[in-house]
Amino acid sequence: MTVPVPDGVHPAWLPPEAFRAIGSRRTLVRGDGPLVDTVRDEVTLACVRYGGRVRHPLPGGRDGPGPPPDLVLALRSAGPLPAVAETVLAGFGAIGDEGFVVARHDGVTVVLADEPAGLLYGLFHVVRLGERAFGAAVPAEHHRPATRRRMLDHWDNVDVHPVMGQVERGYAGGSLFWRDGVLREDLSRVRAYGRLLAACGVNAVAVNNVNVHATEASLLTDRLGDVAAIAAELRPYGIRVHLSVRFSSPVVLGGPPTADPLDEDVRKWWAAVTERVYARIPDFGGYVVKADSEGQPGPFTYGRSHADGANALADALEPFGGVVHWRAFVYDHRQDWRDRATDRARAAHDHFVPLDGLFRGNVILQVKHGPMDFQVREPVSPVVAAMPATRLAVELQVTQEYTGQQRHVCYLAPMWSDVLGFRPWGPAGPAVARLAAGAAGDGGGLVAVSNAGDDPYWTGHPLAQANLYAFGRLAWAPGADPATILDEWIDLTFAPSAPGGLERLRPTLHAIMDDSWRTYERYTAPLGVGFMVRPGHHYGPDVDGYEYTPWGTYHFADRDGVGVDRTRATGTGFTGQYPPPWSEVYERLERCPDELLLFFHHVPYGHVLRNGSTVIQHIYDTHFAGAEQVAEARSLWERLAGTGSVDPALHARVKALIDEQLRCAEEWRDQINAYFFRKSGVPDAHGRRIP
């Protein structure tokens, strides 16, 4: 049965008001199965609230007496279907496992699907449309997801980690699943979370941190019941549970004294453990593995390759239809900062591309969208285009580790849209979204690090909800317009009490959010150079914070210039990891896009950009402009106070956070500008004060 959002928790994009259009009408639901039951429960709850009616067919499938329904939600196999549904279906072939057909015909809105999951997604499509779903006639439209897997990774710890806390790189409170070392007693919020995810198109969740500590390792065995309990809450919304596992699990959990992936006893151990997992959770999705990375154990310990390691787990999962998501985030985190030849950006390509074609068919190589680490501006990882015989998933970061940590407004959909639309072989080649989907729809899909926690607003910053919603929508339809997605989120989320409230709110939110990613970029690290953040917690500026550390995140600023030479001619050779034309575009200073200039080249402060500005003046101008844009956003938000457009408590939360964003933006502005003024000795051409 549908579980309402718990008291004191914001309903996000599924407030009761979003269901008014459905709940005030007559609806016929046809079909069987748990997900169809979820659809029926959702419609019933809406009708109880808004006075509509759920119609039930008579024995034999015939419609009962009374006026015809306004809305038909039916499985194709649940015949006999109403005549209007048969008309809509005429000429349609397979709809697909998660697809649906929607039409408005003869005064009836019809949603039809081959499988229950499609009917669930079709229901939420009608919820998004609201009253528009019941207007003029609309011919049949076929909707289906571009990617089969649309997954969120939670970096949640069962035990509170002494450094990283309950959720590593989480900025929205504690875990939705775990508290004080145990599974939460009340999992109703997990059910509500699954409902939110299904409504935006997410269909898989990994429930624990990729950095698997001792307690978390036992989720695979002794504490498997906890995972099964979470799966039971998410199953009614079509969401499969995945588990992050430690590569050394056989050793850690009392199995063989080795984790060598080619050892027969190790392979038998994984097979037996996996069989027990599926006996308890038949729809279990599979494993997520971070190996040989940042201290996590891996196959290198035994002189084996990552293909050897991934395949051992894949073989255990294969009989049950499971997959292993093997992360490609492998690099030397103990680099000598004096070493200019070693380049962290190269690492994933160097490690994994030689293994293309050696992975099992149920291995999904999970590749961060950029070659470094979720920076506000990076090129697309060359690995995405370099492994045609391997299933790849592109990994994004919804939690804003390097983009304001959900204390700053930073709507990330425009960034993700750029990434998904990037064409590694030029305009005639496929886009990243197509590579993730796979030529036959069998690719690895899209994965993102979740930004949800137990905060009353789910994401800490109420406006950061838009990033979670947008990830699901772009994973379903990568070509969707970020501004349109933002409109969907606004329409669903806000129900102003005052007349005309939404009309006042919408332009304000667009003015604050549409360009907020680029605003954040303007007042932080310039021209793609990245990082410059405070080590450890990664919040706020520290220009040289990582410059002399072993992490490989350098900018090489000196008195003459700034940037990393990654060319083949004189640098690390990273540009050669791209196919043409980008290998040449990035190699040549005169062709390299300005927004990535310092990622690929070390240039003098006087280098002239395409807009006629020098690098040093660009740094000054953008950092002043970025802080000014945050100040304007604060002013726009303050004008909404008392208008009835926004709940007062939500308004107060956002106001406090934008105040903090402005403070931090001014700190970024002053530190970055002062640093480069002192390095270069070049004054601001406009005479503005630089500390």
Side-chain angles (χ1 to χ4, degrees):
M1 183 68 183
T2 297
V3 177
V5 176
D7 290 342
V9 177
H10 188 256
W13 51 88
L14 288 182
E17 184 68 21
F19 288 81
R20 179 181 290 275
I22 290 175
S24 60
R25 289 176 163 85
R26 299 180 301 275
T27 300
L28 175 65
V29 180
R30 287 271 188 91
D32 296 307
L35 295 187
V36 178
D37 291 343
T38 298
V39 171
R40 191 174 284 110
D41 290 346
E42 290 281 356
V43 174
T44 299
L45 186 65
C47 288
V48 167
R49 182 173 282 117
Y50 294 112
R53 178 185 171 197
V54 181
R55 294 192 56 181
H56 299 280
L58 296 173
R62 296 178 293 108
D63 287 340
D70 303 301
L71 173 63
V72 173
L73 295 156
L75 293 182
R76 185 185 231 165
S77 59
L81 297 175
V84 66
E86 295 286 5
T87 300
V88 169
L89 272 177
F92 264 98
I95 299 173
D97 291 347
E98 296 181 298
F100 60 90
V101 171
V102 62
R104 178 77 173 163
H105 186 75
D106 287 346
V108 180
T109 301
V110 179
V111 177
L112 301 163
D114 286 341
E115 300 293 339
L119 199 64
L120 180 67
Y121 294 126
L123 166 71
F124 286 122
H125 178 76
V126 176
V127 171
R128 282 193 295 274
L129 292 175
E131 285 296 334
R132 289 174 295 155
F134 302 96
V138 177
E141 299 174 348
H142 187 190
H143 296 259
R144 56 186 169 189
T147 58
R148 182 177 299 176
R149 285 178 175 81
R150 308 172 300 280
M151 182 172 172
L152 287 170
D153 284 356
H154 277 256
W155 286 358
D156 297 16
N157 300 314
V158 178
D159 283 330
V160 176
H161 190 272
V163 176
M164 293 299 180
Q166 184 79 75
V167 182
E168 183 168 333
R169 305 304 181 197
Y171 310 105
S175 171
L176 293 170
F177 311 119
W178 320 103
R179 184 172 183 176
D180 299 328
V182 298
L183 182 70
R184 286 181 177 268
E185 290 185 11
D186 181 4
L187 294 178
S188 59
R189 188 161 176 181
V190 174
R191 177 77 63 98
Y193 181 55
R195 183 173 179 250
L196 287 173
L197 297 186
C200 66
V202 171
N203 67 356
V205 168
V207 298
N208 64 304
N209 194 350
V210 293
N211 294 317
V212 182
H213 309 295
T215 301
E216 290 74 24
S218 68
L219 294 174
L220 183 62
T221 52
D222 296 347
R223 302 188 65 165
L224 183 59
D226 292 349
V227 183
I230 295 170
E233 297 299 323
L234 297 176
R235 188 173 293 117
Y237 287 95
I239 296 170
R240 301 177 76 177
V241 161
H242 295 240
L243 190 64
S244 294
V245 297
R246 193 175 177 90
F247 179 79
S248 59
S249 288
V251 178
V252 172
L253 297 173
T258 177
D260 183 346
L262 299 189
D263 184 283
E264 191 59 32
D265 288 339
V266 170
R267 298 173 67 83
K268 288 179 179 177
W269 185 90
W270 277 110
V273 165
T274 303
E275 184 175 11
R276 289 195 293 273
V277 170
Y278 278 91
R280 192 70 182 269
I281 312 170
D283 58 351
F284 181 72
Y287 300 138
V288 180
V289 183
K290 177 180 179 179
D292 290 317
S293 178
E294 298 181 331
Q296 290 294 309
F300 287 171
T301 302
Y302 305 96
R304 310 302 188 189
S305 73
H306 279 267
D308 294 330
N311 289 343
L313 276 67
D315 288 344
L317 290 159
E318 193 276 332
F320 309 99
V323 297
V324 54
H325 284 253
W326 193 271
R327 296 180 85 232
F329 188 51
V330 177
Y331 69 97
D332 179 6
H333 71 291
R334 295 186 177 91
Q335 181 178 337
D336 185 342
W337 61 268
R338 303 167 188 83
D339 174 11
R340 291 287 186 110
T342 301
D343 183 0
R344 175 170 164 175
R346 291 184 55 106
H349 192 283
D350 286 345
H351 282 302
F352 286 95
V353 171
L355 303 176
D356 188 34
L358 301 181
F359 292 96
R360 300 284 193 267
N362 61 326
V363 173
I364 294 174
L365 190 64
Q366 190 165 308
V367 181
K368 289 192 178 187
H369 72 82
M372 293 296 281
D373 193 6
F374 300 132
Q375 297 302 291
V376 69
R377 178 76 70 171
E378 294 186 54
V380 170
S381 170
V383 178
V384 176
M387 301 187 69
T390 303
R391 297 170 74 186
L392 298 181
V394 175
E395 181 180 293
L396 309 173
Q397 192 183 51
V398 186
T399 195
Q400 296 169 230
E401 179 180 357
Y402 294 102
T403 52
Q405 299 191 356
Q406 289 157 230
R407 284 179 265 185
H408 296 211
V409 180
C410 189
Y411 180 48
L412 293 171
M415 175 209 280
W416 299 335
S417 185
D418 283 358
V419 169
L420 295 172
F422 179 76
R423 297 179 181 272
W425 293 277
V432 167
R434 183 64 178 142
L435 298 174
D442 57 352
L446 295 181
V447 180
V449 183
S450 173
N451 67 344
D454 68 357
D455 184 90
Y457 290 101
W458 296 97
T459 57
H461 200 310
L463 303 189
Q465 290 180 9
N467 285 330
L468 183 56
Y469 180 83
F471 167 73
R473 296 295 290 131
L474 284 171
W476 180 284
D481 174 42
T484 300
I485 292 173
L486 186 59
D487 267 329
E488 287 180 5
W489 176 76
I490 293 168
D491 288 345
L492 289 168
T493 302
F494 296 97
S497 56
L502 195 58
E503 288 68 27
R504 284 192 296 271
L505 179 62
R506 187 190 310 283
T508 298
L509 286 175
H510 275 287
I512 292 172
M513 298 178 72
D514 280 349
D515 202 40
S516 56
W517 160 50
R518 293 178 180 87
T519 294
Y520 186 87
E521 180 181 24
R522 289 180 188 110
Y523 64 75
T524 54
L527 299 171
V529 75
F531 292 93
M532 296 186 172
V533 293
R534 183 73 62 183
H537 56 67
H538 296 166
Y539 185 75
D542 188 342
V543 186
D544 281 339
Y546 277 113
E547 192 63 14
Y548 307 103
T549 71
W551 293 95
T553 53
Y554 314 129
H555 55 72
F556 298 135
D558 55 31
R559 66 179 185 179
D560 299 315
V562 60
V564 184
D565 184 354
R566 291 189 162 103
T567 65
R568 301 188 296 284
T570 57
T572 69
F574 173 67
T575 59
Q577 292 186 341
Y578 289 88
W582 293 104
S583 57
E584 296 306 315
V585 169
Y586 294 146
E587 175 77 9
R588 295 170 59 181
L589 182 60
E590 68 275 13
R591 296 186 64 190
C592 184
D594 283 344
E595 65 269 19
L596 290 171
L597 180 70
L598 302 185
F599 191 95
F600 286 104
H601 297 273
H602 186 90
V603 300
Y605 295 114
H607 175 81
V608 178
L609 303 175
R610 286 175 173 78
N611 65 2
S613 175
T614 61
V615 165
I616 189 65
Q617 193 60 44
H618 172 89
I619 291 172
Y620 298 153
D621 289 346
T622 53
H623 284 79
F624 279 112
E628 290 165 4
Q629 286 166 318
V630 177
E632 176 61 19
R634 182 175 69 168
S635 176
L636 289 170
W637 186 258
E638 287 176 342
R639 290 175 206 166
L640 293 174
T643 65
S645 302
V646 184
D647 173 76
L650 187 150
H651 186 276
R653 171 70 77 91
V654 173
K655 181 185 181 303
L657 287 163
I658 296 183
D659 286 347
E660 162 58 16
Q661 182 177 359
L662 181 57
R663 182 208 65 77
C664 194
E666 291 174 342
E667 184 71 16
W668 271 101
R669 175 199 66 198
D670 292 345
Q671 283 203 30
I672 297 290
N673 284 348
Y675 178 91
F676 283 104
F677 173 60
R678 295 172 189 181
K679 280 282 185 184
S680 69
V682 178
D684 172 35
H686 302 294
R688 292 166 293 198
R689 179 180 177 272
I690 295 177

